[in-house]
C-alpha cells in the first residue's frame, strides 16, 4: 500500500470493496474493527468517518456504518479500487467463458 494514501481514501476503498463483495450498504463495523482492518489508529478511522459523514457520503453510529452514496465515495477513494474491481470482473468473465456458468459475488 502506498504511504501517501490517506485514511479516508483507504477507508473508502475498503468500504466500497466490502459493498461490492456483499451487495450490502449497511455494515456492523466498529471503529476498532475498521482500524484493525486498515492497520491504522482508531482515531484515524474516527476522523475519516466523521469527514465522510459531514459530506453526507456515509452515516455512522455505534457499531454501524451505512454507505449512502457509493459514487461519491468512489471519487474519494483511491483509484486502486477501480483497478481491483476491474481485475475481479475480468477474472470472473474469464471463468464464465471457460465454464459457461454465471458467477457473482
Amino acid at each position: 500500500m502506498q504511504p501517501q494514501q490517506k485514511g479516508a481514501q483507504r477507508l473508502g476503498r475498503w468500504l466500497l470493496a466490502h459493498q461490492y463483495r456483499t451487495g450490502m450498504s449497511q455494515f456492523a463495523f466498529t471503529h476498532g474493527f475498521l482500524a484493525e482492518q486498515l492497520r491504522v489508529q482508531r482515531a484515524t478511522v474516527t476522523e475519516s468517518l466523521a469527514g465522510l459523514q459531514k459530506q453526507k457520503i456515509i452515516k455512522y453510529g455505534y457499531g454501524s456504518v451505512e454507505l449512502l452514496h457509493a459514487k461519491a465515495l468512489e471519487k474519494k477513494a483511491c483509484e486502486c479500487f477501480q483497478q481491483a474491481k476491474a481485475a475481479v470482473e475480468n477474472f470472473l468473465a474469464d471463468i464464465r467463458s471457460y465454464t459457461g456458468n454465471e458467477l457473482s459475488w
Side-chain angles (χ1 to χ4, degrees):
M1 181 155 302
Q2 299 176 2
Q4 68 266 26
Q5 287 182 313
K6 296 180 181 173
Q9 290 177 311
R10 292 176 64 196
L11 176 63
R13 186 194 69 210
W14 198 89
L15 291 172
L16 287 167
H18 194 73
Q19 181 197 36
Y20 184 66
R21 284 191 220 84
T22 65
M24 298 170 53
S25 60
Q26 190 163 0
F27 316 111
F29 297 148
T30 64
H31 295 201
F33 173 78
L34 290 169
E36 287 178 21
Q37 296 302 306
L38 297 171
R39 305 284 194 259
V40 298
Q41 294 181 351
R42 187 183 176 283
T44 301
V45 170
T46 300
E47 291 169 11
S48 298
L49 288 172
L52 293 171
Q53 181 165 268
K54 186 175 181 179
Q55 297 171 56
K56 300 187 186 321
I57 295 172
I58 61 130
K59 184 169 90 174
Y60 77 93
Y62 182 76
S64 174
V65 178
E66 183 177 1
L67 181 52
L68 301 175
H69 298 286
K71 292 292 183 195
L73 189 56
E74 283 184 34
K75 291 178 184 177
K76 297 284 181 191
C78 63
E79 68 280 351
C80 51
F81 170 72
Q82 286 300 329
Q83 294 168 353
K85 183 178 175 183
V88 168
E89 289 298 330
N90 290 336
F91 176 73
L92 292 176
D94 288 345
I95 292 173
R96 288 182 192 117
S97 67
Y98 178 74
T99 64
N101 293 327
E102 284 296 313
L103 301 174
S104 64
W105 284 58

